[in-house]
């Protein structure tokens, strides 16, 4: 697993992928921080991070599209699957590599926090909570778009499927709101990963929500492993 | 070393591999021969654990691939048909990655890496990106990858494909040398390669074993008759008459007329008798000197064609 993690990290930072991801993130984050915090004099980061979740919808699939689709296309999956590494190890190595790039991005974005502290006095607990929620949402996006990368050998299709999957998570939220029936909208709301992120944005820490995001990611990692294993049986 | 029993692989209704049975002894180089689509790669992919079989078992060094895949994978080096190379890495980085993947001891890694690069002759390109290497070098890096961790078993799927003749000879030599320490299964559709390198040959066609033997035995035992090409000086009709009288001769044909009375004959006899001695004495007695006598064993090509096509073998 460690070997795969290290290889992917190397590959991310030697190819333009990581820089495109981080660059795109900060071009937009910079604009939102400028308008949302600096120009409007708002001392909390939550608004900017919430908007950045929308940006993640577009850029996360770019980060993960290569991970599994390209292994299949170049047939390097034959090396990985005939090495003494478990399938879980392979997928986790790749997942953690993508998560690491995202983590680095989040770390860099702490510069905004520094700016907020220079010009104001935001609540530390609330900030940590905001960032935790943002990171967990990003992690879920990575898990779902890695799954997208496992279903095809084309990077473009992987990116589009990933994007469509994440977008559908947003749409579930809107659909839930459209139901007049209270029970249905509650169920849909419970499924919605966006609704839960609002709690974090509002400074409410619910352990159930943390568990929810971790389980959400675990389910998609599991599905990814199943897809690859299933293909071993059916394809030649 | 490798035991394969009742191995069957189905893709839907199609049987890619049907009930294969064979074993490979320690230190043996086994050739795996068959036309394209015969099931060679499928079989290799199952042995290496890349894909599971529908039925049957594969055991490598006593470990079942379905039950203890890690133990098996630890002992196998695999060069697939398309070498699994990461184009964005240099040769050294790639081989380092593979040795980490194959859990080679950190202390042994460097020495082993140098040995392997020396052996397959990629030392001089170790710092170049794999994507910039020629096909021949890529193939060698693929082979180097299979050697990492000095596995007991090497599975090489068409290792010489795409190389130039000089490289092919080098790689063959290398494989022969490797055969001293490793058990090797090598697939190919190039027949001289198999007869040059392998100690035993499995001919596979439409997913089934058509023949399994040493290259020599295959060419000796195959076909129902022995064939000879003889050049004799003497009048055609009486020579043919004299040959036909020899016990065991089935067919005599005048092949090429070289001079007036120097004629090349094609003779087929039953396999049980060697007609060469009686032929000599018969011709000597009749006063027709034999200028040339050549036994025509079936080449591996003939056997291969006979086994893998419905037509009869190509006559010479």
């Amino acid at each position: 697993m460690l070997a795969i993690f290290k290889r992917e990290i190397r590959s991310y930072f030697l190819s333009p992928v990581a820089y495109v991801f981080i660059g795109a993130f900060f071009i937009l984050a910079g604009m939102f921080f400028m308008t949302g915090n600096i120009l409007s004099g708002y001392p909390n980061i939550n608004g900017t991070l919430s908007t950045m979740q929308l940006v993640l919808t577009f850029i996360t699939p770019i980060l993960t599209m290569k991970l599994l689709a390209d292994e299949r296309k170049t047939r390097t999956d034959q090396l990985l699957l005939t090495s003494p590494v478990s399938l879980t190890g392979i997928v986790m190595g790749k997942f953690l590599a993508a998560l690491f790039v995202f983590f680095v991005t989040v770390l860099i974005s702490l510069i905004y926090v520094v700016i907020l502290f220079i010009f104001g006095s935001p609540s530390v607990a609330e900030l940590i909570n905001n960032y935790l929620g943002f990171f967990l949402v990003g992690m879920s996006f990575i898990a779902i778009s890695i799954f997208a990368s496992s279903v095809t050998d084309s990077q473009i299709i992987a990116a589009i499927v990933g994007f469509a999957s994440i977008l559908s998570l947003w749409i579930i939220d809107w659909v839930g709101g459209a139901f007049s029936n209270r029970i249905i909208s509650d169920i849909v709301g419970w499924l919605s990963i966006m609704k839960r992120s609002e709690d974090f944005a509002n400074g409410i820490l619910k352990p159930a929500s943390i568990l929810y995001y971790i389980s959400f990611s675990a389910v998609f990692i599991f599905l990814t492993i199943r897809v690859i294993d299933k293909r071993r049986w059916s394809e030649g | 070393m490798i035991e394969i029993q009742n191995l069957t692989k189905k893709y839907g209704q199609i049987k890619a591999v049907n009930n294969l049975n064979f074993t490979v002894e320690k230190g043996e180089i086994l050739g795996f021969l068959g036309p394209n689509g015969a099931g060679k790669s499928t079989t290799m992919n199952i042995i290496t654990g890349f894909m599971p079989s529908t039925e049957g078992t594969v055991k490598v060094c006593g470990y079942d691939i379905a039950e203890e895949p890690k133990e098996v994978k630890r002992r196998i080096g695999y060069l697939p048909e398309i070498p699994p190379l990461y184009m964005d890495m240099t040769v050294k980085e790639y081989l380092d990655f593979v040795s980490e993947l194959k859990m080679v001891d950190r202390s042994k890694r460097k020495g082993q890496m140098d040995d392997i690069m020396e052996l397959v002759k990629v030392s001089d390109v170790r710092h170049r990106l794999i994507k910039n290497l020629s096909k021949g070098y890529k193939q060698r890096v693929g082979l180097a990858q299979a050697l990492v961790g000095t596995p007991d078993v090497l599975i090489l799927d068409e290792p010489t494909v795409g190389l130039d003749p000089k490289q092919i000879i080098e790689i063959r030599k290398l494989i022969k040398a490797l055969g001293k320490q490793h058990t090797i299964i090598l697939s190919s559709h190039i027949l001289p390669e198999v007869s040059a390198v392998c100690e035993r040959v499995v001919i596979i066609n439409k997913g089934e074993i058509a023949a399994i033997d040493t290259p020599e035995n295959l060419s000796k035992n195959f076909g129902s008759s022995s064939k000879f090409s003889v050049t004799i000086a003497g009048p055609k009709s009486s020579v043919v008459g004299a040959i036909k009288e020899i016990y065991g001769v089935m067919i005599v044909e005048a092949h090429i007329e070289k001079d007036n009375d120097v004629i090349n004959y094609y003779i087929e006899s039953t396999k049980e008798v060697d007609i060469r001695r009686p032929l000599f004495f018969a011709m000597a007695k009749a006063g027709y000197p034999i200028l040339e006598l050549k036994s025509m064993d079936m080449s591996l090509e003939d056997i291969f064609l006979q086994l893998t096509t419905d037509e009869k073998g190509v006559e010479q």
Side-chain angles (χ1 to χ4, degrees):
Chain A
M1 184 175 100
L2 190 66
I4 289 163
F5 173 77
K6 284 199 306 205
R7 203 205 82 78
E8 291 302 338
I9 294 289
R10 234 193 109 269
S11 167
Y12 268 139
F13 286 98
L14 283 179
S15 71
V17 178
Y19 304 105
V20 166
F21 177 82
I22 295 172
F25 184 94
F26 282 107
I27 288 175
L28 293 158
M31 291 199 295
F32 293 133
F33 182 70
M34 189 73 194
T35 53
N37 289 98
I38 295 182
L39 295 182
S40 53
Y42 182 65
N44 287 322
I45 197 79
N46 58 358
T48 303
L49 289 184
S50 295
T51 323
M52 284 314 290
Q53 285 177 4
L54 187 64
V55 175
L56 283 184
T57 306
F58 295 91
I59 62 176
T60 312
I62 294 169
L63 190 65
T64 57
M65 63 183 184
K66 188 171 178 242
L67 289 177
L68 292 162
D70 207 45
E71 297 276 359
R72 244 175 103 198
K73 185 147 212 152
T74 57
R75 303 282 203 104
T76 41
D77 56 344
Q78 284 195 315
L79 171 65
L80 300 183
L81 293 175
T82 57
S83 297
V85 188
S86 67
L87 205 47
T88 312
I90 296 171
V91 175
M92 279 309 284
K94 286 171 178 285
F95 170 70
L96 291 177
L99 196 61
F100 179 79
V101 175
F102 177 59
F103 181 68
V104 168
T105 315
V106 170
L107 277 189
I108 299 173
S109 78
L110 290 180
I111 198 161
Y112 298 142
V113 177
V114 173
I115 296 171
L116 289 182
F117 270 104
I118 293 171
F119 295 104
S121 47
S123 145
V124 176
E126 223 171 282
L127 267 173
I128 293 173
N129 204 25
N130 293 159
Y131 261 101
L132 181 64
F134 182 65
F135 184 74
L136 289 172
V137 168
M139 179 175 86
S140 309
F141 285 1
I142 288 172
I144 200 170
S145 37
I146 278 195
F147 172 71
S149 182
S150 75
V151 297
T152 170
D153 61 4
S154 153
Q155 292 191 41
I156 301 288
I157 293 174
I160 293 171
V161 171
F163 168 64
S165 309
I166 299 173
L167 200 63
S168 65
L169 294 179
W170 290 90
I171 289 169
I172 276 189
D173 207 25
W174 303 334
V175 169
F179 281 107
S180 53
N181 186 324
R182 187 65 198 268
I183 299 166
I184 294 177
S185 72
D186 274 0
I187 291 172
V188 175
W190 186 84
L191 285 173
S192 159
I193 92 170
M194 297 309 164
K195 197 143 248 152
R196 283 176 190 272
S197 79
E198 281 169 19
D199 285 344
F200 286 101
N202 294 332
I204 305 163
L205 180 67
K206 286 185 186 164
S209 296
I210 299 176
L211 200 64
Y212 174 85
Y213 285 114
I214 292 172
S215 321
F216 184 92
S217 304
V219 165
F220 276 97
I221 296 291
F222 174 75
L223 288 177
T224 306
I225 294 167
R226 295 310 309 153
V227 162
I228 298 172
D229 200 36
K230 167 79 177 40
R231 194 181 302 119
R232 286 175 64 227
W233 288 86
S234 58
E235 260 183 35
Chain B
M1 205 69 175
I2 305 173
E3 293 168 53
I4 290 168
Q5 280 178 344
N6 308 324
L7 189 70
T8 301
K9 177 74 184 176
K10 283 186 202 163
Y11 295 127
Q13 286 304 307
I14 304 156
K15 277 186 178 171
V17 171
N18 190 8
N19 204 20
L20 290 195
N21 282 292
F22 62 90
T23 54
V24 190
E25 301 302 325
K26 192 171 167 39
E28 190 176 27
I29 305 182
L30 180 88
F32 218 52
L33 203 62
N36 291 329
K40 287 174 291 177
S41 295
T42 303
T43 309
M44 294 187 144
N45 278 335
I46 294 170
I47 298 173
T48 53
F50 179 64
M51 54 169 72
S53 63
T54 314
E55 278 164 48
T57 55
V58 174
K59 277 187 182 171
V60 177
C61 309
Y63 296 101
D64 191 316
I65 183 72
E67 279 154 24
E68 289 165 289
K70 269 195 187 173
E71 292 301 325
V72 173
K73 287 171 182 180
R74 216 185 278 268
R75 288 169 174 77
I76 288 186
Y78 182 31
L79 170 63
E81 205 171 350
I82 299 163
L85 307 172
Y86 290 101
M87 298 298 161
D88 59 351
M89 296 176 110
T90 67
V91 173
K92 190 176 169 302
E93 284 167 351
Y94 173 68
L95 293 177
D96 279 339
F97 166 64
V98 175
S99 47
E100 219 174 315
L101 206 57
K102 295 201 175 166
M103 299 170 193
V104 180
D105 258 3
R106 201 169 275 276
S107 53
K108 290 183 197 155
R109 229 175 257 173
K110 183 156 190 328
Q112 195 187 79
M113 203 56 50
D114 290 340
D115 290 348
I116 290 172
M117 285 199 273
E118 208 53 53
L119 195 64
V120 300
K121 301 205 178 82
V122 292
S123 305
D124 48 335
V125 295
R126 67 170 78 192
H127 294 302
R128 284 176 59 185
L129 282 179
I130 292 176
K131 69 174 160 204
N132 296 332
L133 296 180
S134 68
K135 176 95 174 89
Y137 269 115
K138 280 181 189 158
Q139 192 73 21
R140 284 187 220 194
V141 176
L143 192 58
Q145 164 271 126
L147 293 173
V148 169
T150 48
D152 298 332
V153 177
L154 287 178
I155 311 271
L156 310 174
D157 198 350
E158 310 212 346
T160 58
V161 82
L163 302 182
D164 68 39
K166 190 167 160 278
Q167 292 169 330
I168 289 179
I169 292 167
E170 278 176 18
I171 294 279
R172 276 186 206 159
K173 268 191 195 152
L174 179 62
I175 292 171
K176 271 202 123 160
L178 289 171
K180 289 179 185 123
Q181 295 164 22
H182 307 263
T183 305
I184 301 177
I185 298 184
L186 164 104
S187 86
S188 181
H189 57 250
I190 309 163
L191 298 138
E193 177 162 294
V194 169
S195 48
V197 175
C198 302
E199 289 144 20
R200 225 148 49 97
V201 181
V202 174
I203 297 182
I204 175 172
N205 185 38
K206 291 177 188 156
E208 294 183 32
I209 291 181
I212 176 164
D213 213 330
T214 63
E216 295 79 29
N217 280 348
L218 276 176
S219 37
K220 214 190 292 169
N221 300 340
F222 228 80
S224 49
S225 57
S226 312
K227 301 182 178 73
F228 301 94
S229 151
V230 197
T231 309
I232 297 168
K236 188 167 152 188
S237 54
S238 33
V239 169
V240 170
I243 296 175
K244 275 190 173 160
E245 275 173 25
I246 299 168
Y247 173 73
V249 171
M250 299 191 308
I251 301 169
V252 184
E253 278 167 18
H255 217 49
I256 311 153
E257 300 203 15
K258 290 189 172 166
D259 262 323
N260 270 346
D261 273 343
V262 178
I263 299 164
N264 181 266
Y265 299 91
Y266 167 75
I267 305 175
E268 249 186 83
S269 74
T270 53
K271 231 165 45 180
E272 289 75 33
V273 277
D274 187 350
I275 61 151
R276 284 175 295 184
R277 285 179 191 82
L279 177 68
F280 168 81
F281 288 118
M283 290 301 116
K285 201 173 143 197
Y288 306 135
I290 295 176
L291 304 180
E292 194 186 3
L293 170 60
K294 202 163 64 184
S295 135
M296 304 195 316
D297 269 345
M298 277 179 103
S299 70
L300 222 49
E301 263 95 348
D302 301 329
I303 298 163
F304 181 70
L305 282 171
Q306 194 169 332
L307 285 170
T308 56
T309 52
D310 295 331
E311 302 159 35
K312 289 190 89 183
V314 180
E315 297 283 326
Q316 296 249 346

